[in-house]
């Protein structure tokens, strides 16, 4: 048989340019194939991305795509014939090539995969792409609409909401617009790891650890676990688990790279009909659906994204008696009020258990400290909870709070704006409670559900020579304390409040002495841990009702109470605190209303400068713009 590609054109084809182009196009399309894959404009864009410029020579394409120079020239010529590329002769090289529509390279959504680093860089992604990426990757950096960097971590694959690897691979290809084989192979290996172990309930009522194979049981579980965790083997792939050791087993194997699937038949508790009286936003509904599939999880989202309301959606799904654990009695009261406001439950169905009152009801809100005390534990252990909610669950790994996680329930749900721990124990959050479930912050900003605050670090001069000299001679933590209490910040707070006379403002301080000084200077009450609970509630209610436009508050406001929405937040001190603290304080302005401002004051030339940058840099990676401004010695005046 004659090969059509080498056939001599007929006289008719020679005389007809359009017919001749059909013959010419066939060999160029086939010649432009590599291992059966056609060379397309997308391949040129890939090469352009790797080389870092939109105009390429054949040599550059050959280098980027690792093909011979002659093949690159032929393929570029074929694309030019199709009208996808333009060629231009220049003096330094015979020919350069660029897209016919150059703006196609710069304006379109662009996804670039780096398999070895397991990173995905996306320019101008649409909401669909970001939603797909969020199902298997972590948003590590975002700098507005032009650049998003995702990292695919083991824990992202382990917690993906897919029933099979085929479903996950389909989502990956939709998000990436291509099949990244090396990345898929690694994701597949992590998927397999996540399905090697599971906890089940034996017919006699005790817990069993099961492994997929005798090899994985012997080489991993029986190497990592001891008599504190298991009684004895039942078979080559099963071990009898000691009562109460389940959480430790999950943590140990998770840290070994093998998350455990929890399929125990836990008690669901008494049924409790709950209906929401408010509609969930689309992303909140997605959170609840993912929680419903897994039976556990941690809702991760910025302040103002409605995690508490979404948690009530989870309560309505479970329809079982619920225990809510919170860091403080102030939050317990706010939870009780919110449940009455947004669900069909009546006040008599809701109890609080803490230092102020001790009532166990179908829905009980307790503090972590009380739930972890031996003399109170039996009250919670004896009741079968259908759902346990861990508010501000970033505290859970701490030695004081983790005892509360021993409480067993069929479903567990955590809530956190920023599950970051300075002791790097954040992975324990997800083994003790459940996998992370959330939406990237930038998506909420774009959709208008949460207002992106404007953050500005303001470097303030010393207020007097005495403090400056004391700082110079101090050492260690004392340097930080002196810089934090710089009296020059009092004038700067005054200036910022006067510059925004219509704003409802919250001023944060870390030190009682500084709080008292500001309270006297501004003639406002200072809300701290020393403030009686009834006085706290009164001040907060006045702020909510617009009867008060300024709150001065200590670190008790970071997590212990649900602060009202503010237009302006001024962080006068607290920069040596955690990254989570920075998120919480910035987040006090993150609500649907726009125009929110956050000013962070740092003493110029002190350690606070570095603390401020480090504390807020992770907010920059979430897409929030962080500015820096040097305050002149004349209070409030900035340098260009």
């Amino acid at each position: 048989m004659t090969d059509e590609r080498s056939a001599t054109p007929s006289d008719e084809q020679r005389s007809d340019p359009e017919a001749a182009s059909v013959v010419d196009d066939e060999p160029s399309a086939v010649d432009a194939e590599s291992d059966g894959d056609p060379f397309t404009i997308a391949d040129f864009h890939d090469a352009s991305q790797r080389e870092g410029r939109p105009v390429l020579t054949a040599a550059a394409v050959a280098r980027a795509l690792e093909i011979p120079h002659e093949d690159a020239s032929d393929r570029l010529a074929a694309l030019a014939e199709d009208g996808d590329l333009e060629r231009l002769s220049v003096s330094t090289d015979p020919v350069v090539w660029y897209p016919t529509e150059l703006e196609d390279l710069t304006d379109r959504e662009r996804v670039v995969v780096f398999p070895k680093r397991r990173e995905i860089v996306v320019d101008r992604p649409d909401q669909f792409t970001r939603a797909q990426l969020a199902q298997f990757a972590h948003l590590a950096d975002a700098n507005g609409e032009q650049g998003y960097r995702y990292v695919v971590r083991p824990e992202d694959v382990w917690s993906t909401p897919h029933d099979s690897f085929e479903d996950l691979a389909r989502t990956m290809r939709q998000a990436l617009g291509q099949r990244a084989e090396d990345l898929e192979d690694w994701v597949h290996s992590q998927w397999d790891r996540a399905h090697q172990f599971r906890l089940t309930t034996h017919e006699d009522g005790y817990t069993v650890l099961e492994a997929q194979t005798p090899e994985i049981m012997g080489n991993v579980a029986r190497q990592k676990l001891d008599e504190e965790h298991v009684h004895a083997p039942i078979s080559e792939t099963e071990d009898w688990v000691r009562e109460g050791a389940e959480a430790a087993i999950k943590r140990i194997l998770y840290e070994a790279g093998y998350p455990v699937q929890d399929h125990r038949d836990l008690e669901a508790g008494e049924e409790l009909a709950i209906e929401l009286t408010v509609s969930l936003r689309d992303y909140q509904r997605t959170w609840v659906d993912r929680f419903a599939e897994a039976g556990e999880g941690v809702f991760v989202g910025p302040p103002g994204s409605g995690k508490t309301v979404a948690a009530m959606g989870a309560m309505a799904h479970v329809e079982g008696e619920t225990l809510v654990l919170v860091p403080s009695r102030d939050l317990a009261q706010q939870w009780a009020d919110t449940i009455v406001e947004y669900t069909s439950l009546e006040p008599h169905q809701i109890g609080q258990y803490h230092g102020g009152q001790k009532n166990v009801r179908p829905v009980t809100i307790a503090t972590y400290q009380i739930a972890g005390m031996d003399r109170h534990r039996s009250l919670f252990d004896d009741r079968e909870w259908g759902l346990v909610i861990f508010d501000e669950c970033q505290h859970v790994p701490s030695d004081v709070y983790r005892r509360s996680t021993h409480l067993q329930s069929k479903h567990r749900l955590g809530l956190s704006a920023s599950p970051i721990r300075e002791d790097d124990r954040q992975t324990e959050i997800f083994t003790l409670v459940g996998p992370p479930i959330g939406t990237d912050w930038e998506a909420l900003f774009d959709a208008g559900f949460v207002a992106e605050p404007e953050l500005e670090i303001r470097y303030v001069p010393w207020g007097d020579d005495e403090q400056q000299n004391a700082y110079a001679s101090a050492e260690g933590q004392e340097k930080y304390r002196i810089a934090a209490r710089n009296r020059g910040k009092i004038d700067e707070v005054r200036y910022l409040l006067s510059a925004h006379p219509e704003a409802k403002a919250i001023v944060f301080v870390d030190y009682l002495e500084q709080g008292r000084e500001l309270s006297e200077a501004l003639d406002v009450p200072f809300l701290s841990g020393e403030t009686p609970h009834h006085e706290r509630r009164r001040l907060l209610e006045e702020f909510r009702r617009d009867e008060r436009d300024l709150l001065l508050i200590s670190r008790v406001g970071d997590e212990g109470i649900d602060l009202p929405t503010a237009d302006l937040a001024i962080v006068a001190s607290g920069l040596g605190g955690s990254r989570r603290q920075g998120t919480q304080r910035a987040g006090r302005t993150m609500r649907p209303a726009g125009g929110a401002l956050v000013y962070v004051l740092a003493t110029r030339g002190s350690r606070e400068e570095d603390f401020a940058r480090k504390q807020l840099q992770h907010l920059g990676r979430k897409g929030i713009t962080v500015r820096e401004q040097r305050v002149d010695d004349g209070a409030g005046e900035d340098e260009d």
Side-chain angles (χ1 to χ4, degrees):
M1 174 179 280
T2 302
D3 187 344
E4 292 182 4
R5 289 174 295 178
S6 60
T8 303
S10 66
D11 291 339
E12 180 181 355
Q13 289 169 334
R14 289 192 188 96
S15 61
D16 184 346
E18 291 187 3
S21 69
V22 173
V23 175
D24 290 342
D25 277 349
E26 274 196 340
S28 66
V30 176
D31 290 343
E33 291 183 356
S34 175
D35 298 328
D37 294 328
F39 182 75
T40 68
I41 188 63
D43 297 307
F44 182 88
H45 288 318
D46 286 338
S48 177
Q49 181 73 24
R50 293 173 193 174
E51 290 295 303
R53 58 180 186 269
V55 179
L56 300 177
T57 65
V61 172
R63 179 173 59 249
L65 302 182
E66 298 180 352
I67 59 176
H69 186 284
E70 184 178 355
D71 287 354
S73 297
D74 291 343
R75 298 176 185 198
L76 292 167
L79 286 181
E81 290 290 339
D82 292 337
D84 292 326
L85 288 182
E86 297 289 339
R87 68 185 90 194
L88 177 68
S89 296
V90 295
S91 59
T92 56
D93 195 282
V95 177
V96 293
W97 308 82
Y98 60 92
T100 302
E101 298 294 338
L102 187 59
E103 63 270 17
D104 181 51
L105 183 64
T106 57
D107 292 344
R108 71 188 183 103
E109 175 181 286
R110 181 89 179 113
V111 181
V112 181
V113 182
F114 300 92
K116 291 182 179 179
R117 301 202 304 265
R118 298 192 294 277
E119 291 186 0
I120 302 161
V121 177
V122 192
D123 291 333
R124 295 177 172 82
D126 60 26
Q127 290 286 358
F128 174 79
T129 298
R130 281 157 60 183
Q132 297 293 85
L133 285 167
Q135 296 186 50
F136 64 89
H138 167 71
L139 179 62
D141 288 292
N143 61 351
E145 66 175 15
Q146 295 191 8
Y148 293 75
R149 182 174 68 90
Y150 289 84
V151 179
V152 186
R153 308 168 301 178
E155 57 264 38
D156 300 316
V157 180
W158 299 344
S159 62
T160 185
H162 294 83
D163 295 327
S164 68
F165 174 73
E166 288 69 26
D167 291 341
L168 172 56
R170 188 177 304 112
T171 296
M172 290 180 63
R173 292 166 195 167
Q174 289 175 341
L176 304 180
Q178 59 182 291
R179 180 172 183 172
E181 292 188 7
D182 290 344
L183 182 59
E184 276 193 26
D185 289 344
W186 181 84
V187 169
H188 198 174
S189 71
Q190 294 301 318
W191 173 274
D192 286 342
R193 276 176 171 261
H195 294 80
Q196 293 299 317
F197 292 103
R198 67 176 189 160
L199 291 172
T200 62
T201 301
H202 191 272
E203 60 182 11
D204 292 332
Y206 57 83
T207 301
V208 175
L209 175 66
E210 295 182 355
Q212 285 285 354
T213 65
E215 291 75 20
I216 201 72
M217 176 62 86
N219 295 333
V220 179
R222 289 174 183 162
Q223 296 295 321
K224 299 288 184 181
L225 306 176
D226 54 32
E227 61 273 8
E228 294 182 8
H229 309 109
V230 294
H231 287 290
I234 300 173
S235 69
E236 290 184 330
T237 59
E238 297 172 306
D239 277 1
W240 179 4
V241 174
R242 286 189 180 275
E243 186 176 357
E246 294 87 354
I249 289 172
K250 291 168 72 173
R251 176 178 55 80
I252 290 169
L253 293 181
Y254 187 100
E255 291 173 350
Y258 292 90
V260 178
Q261 303 288 312
D262 198 338
H263 295 284
R264 288 175 291 165
D265 297 328
L266 296 174
E267 297 294 339
E270 295 293 327
E271 292 186 2
L272 180 66
I274 303 175
E275 293 183 7
L276 275 181
T277 58
V278 63
S279 297
L280 294 177
R281 299 166 179 167
D282 288 344
Y283 68 86
Q284 291 171 320
R285 173 54 57 193
T286 299
W287 291 357
V288 174
D289 290 345
R290 288 186 61 179
F291 164 79
E293 291 173 4
E296 59 182 15
V298 176
F299 290 167
V300 179
S305 57
K307 296 182 294 296
T308 302
V309 173
M312 292 173 196
M315 291 170 60
H317 166 76
V318 172
E319 289 197 320
E321 296 196 344
T322 300
L323 174 64
V324 182
L325 297 174
V326 297
S328 72
R329 56 196 286 188
D330 292 287
L331 273 180
Q333 182 61 53
Q334 288 156 17
W335 262 91
D337 294 341
T338 305
I339 290 172
V340 170
E341 181 178 0
Y342 292 120
T343 75
S344 58
L345 295 177
E346 300 292 335
H348 71 271
Q349 297 174 288
I350 303 166
Q352 297 182 50
Y353 201 99
H354 47 66
Q357 52 180 293
K358 294 180 174 60
N359 299 307
V360 177
R361 304 272 173 78
V363 173
T364 300
I365 306 143
T367 58
Y368 284 101
Q369 294 91 335
I370 288 285
M373 292 181 180
D374 290 335
R375 66 178 182 271
H376 299 293
R377 278 286 304 279
S378 61
L379 290 169
F380 303 111
D381 282 334
D382 292 344
R383 196 165 193 130
E384 296 174 351
W385 303 102
L387 172 65
V388 176
I389 297 175
F390 301 86
D391 195 10
E392 304 289 0
C393 67
Q394 63 273 3
H395 295 295
V396 162
S398 69
D399 294 335
V400 174
Y401 284 29
R402 71 182 297 133
R403 297 190 66 189
S404 64
T405 64
H406 297 167
L407 295 165
Q408 296 301 317
S409 68
K410 189 174 183 63
H411 302 286
R412 292 176 168 221
L413 175 65
L415 310 179
S416 181
S418 186
I420 300 170
R421 290 186 61 86
E422 305 308 307
D423 57 9
D424 292 326
R425 294 170 67 183
Q426 53 261 31
T427 56
E428 294 187 33
I429 298 170
F430 306 127
T431 60
L432 293 169
V433 181
I437 299 170
T439 302
D440 73 68
W441 291 32
E442 188 76 11
L444 300 182
F445 296 154
D446 289 349
F449 291 124
V450 179
E452 176 186 349
E454 298 179 35
L455 265 68
E456 182 171 292
I457 306 172
R458 296 178 68 83
Y459 302 111
V460 181
W462 288 100
D464 56 55
D465 293 339
E466 179 185 354
Q467 279 190 313
Q468 187 172 11
N469 293 334
Y471 177 86
S473 60
E475 295 181 358
Q477 280 294 107
E478 186 61 20
K479 274 187 174 292
Y480 163 68
R481 285 192 288 269
I482 294 171
R485 298 196 301 264
N486 172 15
R487 284 187 284 273
K489 294 179 180 180
I490 295 177
D491 289 336
E492 184 63 18
V493 170
R494 278 203 188 102
Y495 165 74
L496 291 173
L497 292 175
S498 65
H500 305 283
E502 303 300 321
K504 291 182 64 177
I506 300 176
V507 179
F508 292 97
V509 297
D510 254 21
Y511 293 95
L512 295 178
E513 179 184 348
Q514 183 187 31
R516 295 184 188 112
E517 290 176 350
L518 273 168
S519 175
E520 182 178 350
L522 301 175
D523 192 24
V524 295
F526 176 38
L527 198 159
S528 71
E530 297 177 347
T531 309
H533 288 280
H534 70 274
E535 181 69 5
R536 288 191 204 176
R537 284 196 291 272
R538 182 184 68 80
L539 292 172
L540 293 170
E541 280 304 314
E542 288 177 356
F543 193 83
R544 286 190 181 92
R545 295 195 299 263
D546 295 331
E547 297 170 5
R548 179 179 296 277
D549 59 8
L550 176 61
L551 283 178
L552 175 61
I553 191 163
S554 73
R555 65 169 61 194
V556 73
D558 291 337
E559 295 170 345
I561 57 178
D562 183 17
L563 286 177
T565 302
D567 309 310
L568 172 67
I570 302 172
V571 181
S573 63
L575 302 181
S578 66
R579 290 169 288 168
R580 186 181 70 251
Q581 186 184 54
T583 300
Q584 292 288 347
R585 291 183 169 182
R588 296 310 178 186
T589 64
M590 290 165 66
R591 297 296 188 268
L597 300 168
V598 180
Y599 292 108
V600 176
L601 308 186
T603 298
R604 207 164 69 203
S606 75
R607 292 182 179 180
E608 277 198 318
E609 287 196 0
D610 189 46
F611 280 138
R613 293 188 185 98
K614 288 183 177 179
Q615 191 191 50
L616 299 179
Q617 66 183 354
H618 77 285
L619 291 176
R621 290 195 293 268
K622 292 179 180 295
I624 296 176
T625 302
V626 180
R627 299 191 304 267
E628 299 182 37
Q629 194 68 261
R630 183 176 183 272
V631 178
D632 206 353
D633 290 334
E637 296 179 5
D638 303 332
E639 289 186 353
D640 293 331

